[in-house]
Amino acid sequence: MTTTSDQTTSLKTLSENEFNDHYHCDRFTASVLSARMRYVVQHMCTGLLNNAFSVILRDWYDFAAVISGPPKMNYPTSAVSNSLALFFGSIAEAVRNTVEEYGAGELRPGDVLICNDPYRAGTHVNDVCFVRPVFADGEIVSFVTLRAHQLDMGGIVPAGFSGTKRNVYENGLVIAPMLLYRNNKPIAQSFNLIFDNARYGELLLPDIKTIFQNLLLGERLILESIERYGIDAYLGSIQYSTDVSAEAMQNALESIPDGIYEAEEGIDSDGIDDTLDYKVKLKVVKRGDRIELDFSGTSPQARTSINCGALDTKTAVGVALKFLISPHTPFTSGEYRNIDIVLPAGTFISATPPDGAVFLYFDSSGVVLLAIFKALEKALGDRAVGGDYGSLNLHNANGLRLDGTPWNTTAQCGGEHGPWGATIAGDGDSYSVQYQLNNLDPATEAIESETPAVVLRKQYQIDSGGPGANRGGAAVLKDTLYLTAAEHFSSPLHTKVASGAGVNGGRDGALGAVWLFETDETDVSRNKRLLDTEPDVYAHSTPVGGVLDPETKCIDPDGEYAHFASTPVWRTEPNALFRYLTNGGGGWGDPLDRDPARVLADVRNEYVSIEGAERDYGVVVVGNPLTDPEGLTVVEPDTTHLRTRRRQQ
């Protein structure tokens, strides 16, 4: 077993001489330089976060920094920042493809390359890769890269977030690998190309300048390391960093029983209509220290921009396995050394241009991750992890303020934050982000300071977390009142079937949905019941997405599906309210094994109702959680009798 470059020896068993031969430095130096690289990328991200202008960077952390090795090492990614995990797996190919297509031999000190093509670099067109070569003694020894979301990159939808765009021409500006800076000076033609096609240029320009300065910072810090320790030690530490994570993944894979494991997961529909479901079909073959994930049989690419690219599927595979079995070492490109991926072209998780438009890649690649969680549930046993809320339910809105200036809000006022599934370690967190993200939650004050909207509510939904010995995280309900006329693009993509799958005997989390309450129903001063969540409130709403009873418009798994793009653009007058309810997280373990004291605490904290405690956990609770939460008690004889009877059944 090994992850060293000759594939014969474990890192821990290498002698000092062998280690020096492999990595051109001693263990201590390799460890210091590896940690230093992680410091560098995090320092770059801190600089961007603290000085960014657009909300998607400043309030959401939608960027990542990486260090890559030189072309002669095949561009290994040795360090990634503690930021958006959606970028981790594809960034190695993004750097390699960008540099190779432009020509490594054409690069000079002071250059910055850019590329945003989803098929070359992964993710979507708003995520621009800024790649800077680092030269020492006249040759490229490394690259520092910031991939950062730009607020807009053109196309037919302001800010881009929509599942209704039909091809790459509607999707936004595609930038093939090209220079943005030469000799540390901006290239006017490149900037003109961007600003002639993108909205909100007054925010993009200072963001790009900030990105450039943080690339300079990363370069300077790397050159300081090389000056102190030498080029050979620096390059050796790049190899060492990737070998450490590769060996950790190799060891983790050996802990999974050999076998074949299969699963399906899916997305509700595309932006045309609801006649087509999109399914990921996964077969996992595990043998020894290697694993193959075969996605043959997955649905063809979607007719609109709900697709992801093959590189995004690669990211989902790496993040899923890292999350499940190898969480204790840093993520590098070495993660994939013992992983094989079989992925036919032209599926909705490996879309191709021009008709396989990629934008909501995070939801389609998120389905890949959930399929892996499902497939490996039995293999992992009590190490299995419940599913999360499945779809960002992303909301993208734009309009004009009273003074005529444009505004946009993206990924702030939908269902972007929600619950995780439970694990052996405990209950699922109820307010986080999808397993692949790791972004920030914009503060309500920040949203309201820049958007003519009022965030009226963020609360947990009772009885929504998947029951289990450890409970899934509770679904999140969010209400946003828009104060001006606006256009809205809403994208709830996982409402037909629970995404929060229960594991190890746990049960699934509840389904979510989205509703629109029009102007006459959103005068809060006159209609205070709007803030209520009782079933009769929804009869006056317009369903935006979800499986709902056609009369009451409440969530009903046996109801009718409300297609998220039945109205491709929701145009509203002032005082329209959108309500988002995420899916619940999956439970872990038999609900009848949950300590009654924990169920009592859930009732007191309004995660579980008194009725739900008895129905889902076999725990009889008496009292009133609203008027006397401290007076709640468990009726132990009734609980023992009820649980005994259910176990016998």
Side-chain angles (χ1 to χ4, degrees):
M1 178 185 66
T2 183
T3 55
T4 57
S5 55
D6 66 0
Q7 292 292 307
T8 59
T9 311
S10 169
L11 288 172
K12 290 182 178 180
T13 62
L14 288 174
S15 68
E16 288 302 316
N17 288 335
E18 289 173 327
F19 192 96
N20 275 274
D21 288 342
H22 278 303
Y23 301 114
H24 310 291
C25 60
D26 57 45
R27 294 177 190 271
F28 180 78
T29 300
S31 298
V32 167
L33 283 169
S34 296
R36 168 81 169 176
M37 283 187 279
R38 295 192 292 274
Y39 162 80
V40 169
V41 293
Q42 206 58 44
H43 205 17
M44 293 168 64
C45 285
T46 300
L48 178 53
L49 182 67
N50 289 341
N51 295 283
F53 283 71
S54 63
V55 295
I56 198 71
L57 299 180
R58 185 197 68 211
D59 295 341
W60 228 74
Y61 214 156
D62 197 345
F63 56 90
V66 302
I67 291 174
S68 306
K72 66 182 181 182
M73 295 178 69
N74 198 25
Y75 308 90
T77 301
S78 57
V80 301
S81 57
N82 181 23
S83 54
L84 206 69
L86 280 164
F87 296 168
F88 288 177
S90 61
I91 199 73
E93 279 77 16
V95 174
R96 181 189 299 113
N97 292 344
T98 298
V99 173
E100 289 293 310
E101 183 170 340
Y102 181 81
E106 302 299 317
L107 292 173
R108 306 173 191 171
D111 285 351
V112 174
L113 280 171
I114 57 171
C115 179
N116 76 336
D117 181 17
Y119 312 101
R120 289 176 169 97
T123 72
H124 57 198
V125 293
N126 287 49
D127 297 329
V128 179
C129 284
F130 298 82
V131 183
R132 182 173 179 88
V134 178
F135 283 80
D137 294 341
E139 68 170 332
I140 296 174
V141 295
S142 204
F143 295 91
V144 287
T145 299
L146 268 166
R147 171 178 265 162
H149 185 107
Q150 305 304 294
L151 190 59
D152 184 87
M153 288 302 288
I156 63 172
V157 175
F161 285 97
S162 166
T164 60
K165 297 175 289 183
R166 299 183 182 222
N167 52 55
V168 297
Y169 312 112
E170 296 182 353
N171 212 25
L173 175 67
V174 176
I175 303 173
M178 61 185 295
L179 280 179
L180 186 67
Y181 285 84
R182 167 131 282 181
N183 194 29
N184 293 324
K185 297 187 181 301
I187 296 176
Q189 297 94 325
S190 300
F191 276 86
N192 290 341
L193 174 66
I194 295 172
F195 295 121
D196 286 345
N197 287 278
R199 306 166 183 87
Y200 316 117
E202 68 278 9
L203 294 174
L204 267 64
L205 181 59
D207 280 346
I208 291 174
K209 289 183 175 180
T210 302
I211 290 165
F212 175 68
Q213 290 300 319
N214 283 285
L215 292 173
L216 297 183
L217 171 65
E219 177 186 47
R220 176 171 62 80
L221 294 175
I222 287 175
L223 290 176
E224 287 176 2
S225 296
I226 291 173
E227 182 179 1
R228 180 168 182 175
Y229 295 99
I231 291 177
D232 289 343
Y234 173 75
L235 296 179
S237 70
I238 290 177
Q239 181 66 51
Y240 173 73
S241 297
T242 57
D243 285 349
V244 167
S245 57
E247 181 169 283
M249 179 60 72
Q250 179 182 351
N251 293 336
L253 288 171
E254 289 187 326
S255 73
I256 299 176
D258 286 356
I260 297 175
Y261 309 99
E262 298 183 271
E264 286 190 10
E265 253 292 352
I267 279 178
D268 295 344
S269 61
D270 60 26
I272 301 294
D273 53 43
D274 61 352
T275 58
L276 297 177
D277 292 335
Y278 292 92
K279 299 293 185 185
V280 166
K281 292 191 176 181
L282 170 63
K283 181 171 75 171
V284 177
V285 180
K286 162 61 178 47
R287 295 286 186 271
D289 62 4
R290 298 199 66 86
I291 194 168
E292 178 186 88
L293 298 96
D294 186 349
F295 294 95
S296 301
T298 293
S299 301
Q301 63 191 34
R303 300 166 293 180
T304 63
S305 50
I306 67 164
N307 301 289
C308 72
L311 295 179
D312 306 312
T313 294
K314 175 183 176 246
T315 293
V317 168
V319 171
L321 292 175
K322 189 75 175 166
F323 195 106
L324 290 174
I325 63 174
S326 182
H328 301 300
T329 54
F331 195 107
T332 75
S333 57
E335 304 292 338
Y336 295 92
R337 198 171 294 170
N338 286 50
I339 301 169
D340 298 309
I341 302 172
V342 179
L343 181 59
T347 74
F348 84 102
I349 59 169
S350 58
T352 57
D355 297 326
V358 171
F359 208 91
L360 303 184
Y361 73 97
F362 36 82
D363 277 359
S364 44
S365 64
V367 169
V368 172
L369 180 142
L370 292 178
I372 296 170
F373 277 32
K374 280 186 175 181
L376 294 180
E377 178 195 352
K378 289 184 173 56
L380 295 175
D382 61 10
R383 292 189 294 157
V385 176
D388 67 5
Y389 60 109
S391 171
L392 276 191
N393 303 292
L394 194 137
H395 193 94
N396 175 20
N398 69 88
L400 297 175
R401 296 183 179 85
L402 295 179
D403 63 3
T405 58
W407 61 268
N408 174 271
T409 180
T410 298
Q412 294 176 304
C413 299
E416 294 88 6
H417 291 75
W420 282 13
T423 69
I424 189 174
D427 296 342
D429 188 84
S430 294
Y431 198 82
S432 190
V433 292
Q434 283 179 306
Y435 289 135
Q436 286 196 97
L437 268 73
N438 194 37
N439 61 275
L440 300 176
D441 177 37
T444 298
E445 295 81 2
I447 296 170
E448 295 178 349
S449 69
E450 296 203 359
T451 304
V454 180
V455 181
L456 295 175
R457 179 210 312 270
K458 293 180 183 178
Q459 73 176 41
Y460 298 145
Q461 185 80 350
I462 199 165
D463 289 334
S464 59
N470 289 328
R471 174 181 45 75
V476 175
L477 189 148
K478 185 191 296 184
D479 286 345
T480 304
L481 181 70
Y482 292 88
L483 304 179
T484 72
E487 292 183 341
H488 307 265
F489 301 85
S490 181
S491 303
L493 298 184
H494 203 311
T495 62
K496 288 183 177 179
V497 179
S499 60
V503 295
N504 198 40
R507 285 156 52 188
D508 296 348
L511 292 175
V514 182
W515 300 266
L516 167 63
F517 294 87
E518 297 285 7
T519 305
D520 291 343
E521 295 296 326
T522 53
D523 185 340
V524 178
S525 63
R526 290 191 299 108
N527 184 17
K528 293 183 173 58
R529 282 224 59 207
L530 179 67
L531 297 178
D532 203 346
T533 57
E534 293 301 315
D536 59 325
V537 171
Y538 295 95
H540 303 289
S541 71
T542 300
V544 176
V547 181
L548 309 172
D549 181 283
E551 299 297 327
T552 66
K553 300 176 186 175
C554 293
I555 294 174
D556 180 358
D558 297 320
E560 296 179 0
Y561 174 64
H563 181 229
F564 76 94
S566 59
T567 300
V569 185
W570 299 88
R571 293 184 172 88
T572 62
E573 296 301 315
N575 296 322
L577 182 145
F578 277 85
R579 172 169 292 174
Y580 279 82
L581 177 63
T582 71
N583 294 342
W588 180 96
D590 187 346
L592 297 179
D593 291 336
R594 188 171 180 83
D595 187 338
R598 296 177 70 194
V599 178
L600 179 66
D602 283 342
V603 175
R604 181 176 294 132
N605 294 323
E606 298 186 68
Y607 288 109
V608 176
S609 67
I610 287 179
E611 297 77 14
E614 182 172 339
R615 178 187 65 241
D616 298 328
Y617 295 95
V619 175
V620 180
V621 178
V622 295
N624 191 317
L626 298 180
T627 61
D628 185 20
E630 296 304 318
L632 293 169
T633 58
V634 173
V635 183
E636 295 185 5
D638 292 352
T639 296
T640 301
H641 175 72
L642 180 57
R643 285 187 157 188
T644 300
R645 188 173 75 242
R646 289 191 180 174
R647 287 191 175 102
Q648 290 172 346
Q649 291 173 346

